[in-house]
């Protein structure tokens, strides 16, 4: 009986972690060591409250039913620089995982494809040469999207974005493993930029942006993913034993200077995604 009551209390406590916070506090700190550093306390608390302290599971906003029926075709991303500490340390972590279990290699994201996703969307038609004639409006939509992103970057960013990545987390019921972006450096600027892009592209242009444009943004770099076709072989979620030893790993700081609009079809140079357009931050 006592064990049953304890289990109920633990479940209630964990559900309580997801209680939303409706206030917004901005802590703008100036120190001689780090210069002007932004910390959005509300985003920090909301992200923590949406995450399980045990498994690092972060709840994602469920898109409406009409949006779920349409597969995403494009996404916005911050591509990693050619050389950065995060890419090196993710590769070291992957090597350590493979040393323990070489069977999990299909689950790992190649180092060449690492990026920060800013938003995922569905655009009717494709920009490939074969289909341009069939859907002449697609290039116009892509051009309008690029203009929106260019204006958003111009109004929001004063220079390249520096982000800090510490620890691992999961979402999608444990099917996606990612490196966390902590709420320091230009986290607030990135959050403002993403909200602006979601509003202008999703609401302004009427593009099907997945997720809730008013929900808090959780920037991350996906390092491993369990696809539906792999569930039969690996189960319904990534085993925690695979990444528990790296849960609090320091992945370093990264400076981003470009926002890409990428297509989920095809492949670009150096093993990265096909980049439709780019905007300099």
């Amino acid at each position: 009986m006592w064990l049953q009551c304890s289990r109920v209390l633990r479940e209630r406590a964990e559900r309580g972690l997801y209680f939303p916070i409706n206030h917004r506090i901005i802590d703008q700190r100036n120190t001689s060591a780090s210069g002007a550093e932004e910390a959005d306390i509300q985003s920090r608390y909301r992200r923590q409250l949406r995450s399980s302290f045990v498994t690092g599971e972060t709840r994602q906003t469920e898109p409406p039913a009409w949006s779920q029926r349409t597969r995403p075709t494009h996404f916005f991303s911050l591509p990693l620089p050619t050389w950065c500490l995060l890419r090196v340390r993710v590769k070291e972590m992957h090597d350590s995982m493979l040393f323990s279990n070489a069977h999990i290699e299909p689950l790992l994201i190649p180092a060449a494809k690492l990026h920060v996703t800013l938003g995922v969307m569905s655009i009717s038609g494709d920009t490939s040469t074969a289909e341009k004639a069939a859907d002449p409006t697609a290039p116009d939509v892509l051009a309008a999207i690029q203009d929106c992103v260019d204006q958003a970057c111009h109004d929001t960013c004063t220079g390249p974005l520096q982000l800090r990545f510490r620890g691992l987390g999961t979402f999608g019921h444990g099917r996606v493993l990612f490196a966390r972006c902590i709420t320091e450096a230009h986290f607030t600027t990135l959050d403002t930029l993403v909200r602006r892009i979601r509003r202008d592209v999703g609401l302004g242009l009427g593009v099907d942006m997945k997720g809730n444009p008013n929900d808090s943004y959780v920037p991350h770099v996906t390092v491993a993913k369990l696809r539906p076709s792999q569930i039969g072989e690996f189960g319904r979620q990534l085993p925690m034993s695979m990444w528990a030893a790296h849960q609090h790993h320091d992945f370093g700081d990264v400076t981003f200077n470009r926002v890409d609009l990428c297509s989920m079809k095809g492949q670009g140079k150096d093993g990265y995604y096909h980049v439709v357009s780019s905007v300099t931050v």
Side-chain angles (χ1 to χ4, degrees):
M1 181 66 181
W2 183 83
L3 291 176
Q4 185 177 3
C5 292
S6 299
R7 189 181 302 111
V8 171
L9 289 174
R10 283 198 303 270
E11 291 175 353
R12 288 180 179 176
E14 187 165 348
R15 284 199 297 269
L17 294 176
Y18 303 132
F19 188 83
I21 287 182
N22 295 321
H23 67 276
R24 182 176 182 84
I25 304 173
I26 304 295
D27 179 15
Q28 187 84 22
R29 291 172 290 179
N30 274 306
T31 64
S32 58
S34 60
E37 184 170 292
E38 303 174 22
D40 187 339
I41 305 302
Q42 184 222 26
S43 292
R44 178 192 305 170
Y45 285 167
R46 290 190 67 184
R47 187 176 65 164
Q48 289 176 351
L49 292 171
R50 292 170 58 201
S51 302
S52 166
F53 291 158
V54 178
T55 64
E57 170 73 13
T58 299
R59 296 193 309 158
Q60 295 294 97
T61 302
E62 293 292 336
W66 62 267
S67 180
Q68 289 181 349
R69 290 192 292 267
T70 307
R71 294 181 62 85
T73 60
H74 296 74
F75 63 94
F76 293 117
S77 74
L78 295 176
L80 268 63
T82 304
W83 188 96
C84 67
L85 190 58
L86 185 145
R87 195 189 300 273
V88 173
R89 291 185 174 174
V90 168
K91 181 65 168 59
E92 292 173 350
M93 180 183 68
H94 283 173
D95 291 342
S96 176
M97 291 177 175
L98 292 173
F99 181 79
S100 302
N101 185 2
H103 185 59
I104 65 171
E105 185 173 8
L107 303 176
L108 305 180
I109 303 297
K113 289 193 171 184
L114 296 177
H115 64 278
V116 177
T117 302
L118 305 185
V120 180
M121 72 202 82
S122 298
I123 300 177
S124 60
D126 202 315
T127 57
S128 61
T129 305
E131 297 184 6
K132 277 184 179 179
D135 188 4
T137 62
D140 296 336
V141 172
L142 295 176
I145 291 175
Q146 183 178 5
D147 290 342
C148 285
V149 176
D150 191 9
Q151 189 62 45
C153 291
H154 179 270
D155 295 343
T156 306
C157 305
T158 58
L161 298 173
Q162 185 180 27
L163 303 176
R164 296 171 179 169
F165 295 87
R166 309 284 190 274
L168 295 172
T170 65
F171 61 79
H173 304 288
R175 292 191 293 269
V176 177
L177 178 68
F178 62 87
R180 295 178 178 275
C181 177
I182 62 175
T183 53
E184 296 181 6
H186 293 137
F187 181 94
T188 304
T189 304
L190 176 62
D191 184 72
T192 303
L193 175 63
V194 172
R195 289 174 185 270
R196 170 73 179 271
I197 291 175
R198 284 182 174 181
R199 185 194 68 193
D200 292 354
V201 175
L203 301 179
L205 298 180
V207 174
D208 179 14
M209 292 285 295
K210 306 301 181 181
N212 184 350
N214 300 310
D215 198 7
S216 59
Y217 171 59
V218 183
H220 62 277
V221 174
T222 300
V223 297
K225 184 176 183 179
L226 178 64
R227 296 166 179 82
S229 60
Q230 299 170 322
I231 291 178
E233 182 179 0
F234 295 98
R236 304 197 66 85
Q237 62 182 14
L238 298 171
M240 193 171 179
S241 59
M242 163 185 164
W243 54 271
H246 310 278
Q247 187 170 5
H248 305 292
H249 195 63
D250 182 357
F251 292 98
D253 298 0
V254 184
T255 300
F256 300 91
N257 57 13
R258 197 175 81 231
V259 176
D260 287 343
L261 172 61
C262 299
S263 172
M264 294 185 177
K265 294 183 179 180
Q267 184 170 311
K269 61 180 182 179
D270 301 327
Y272 191 61
Y273 298 92
H274 171 60
V275 178
V276 178
S277 62
S278 297
V279 173
T280 301
V281 177

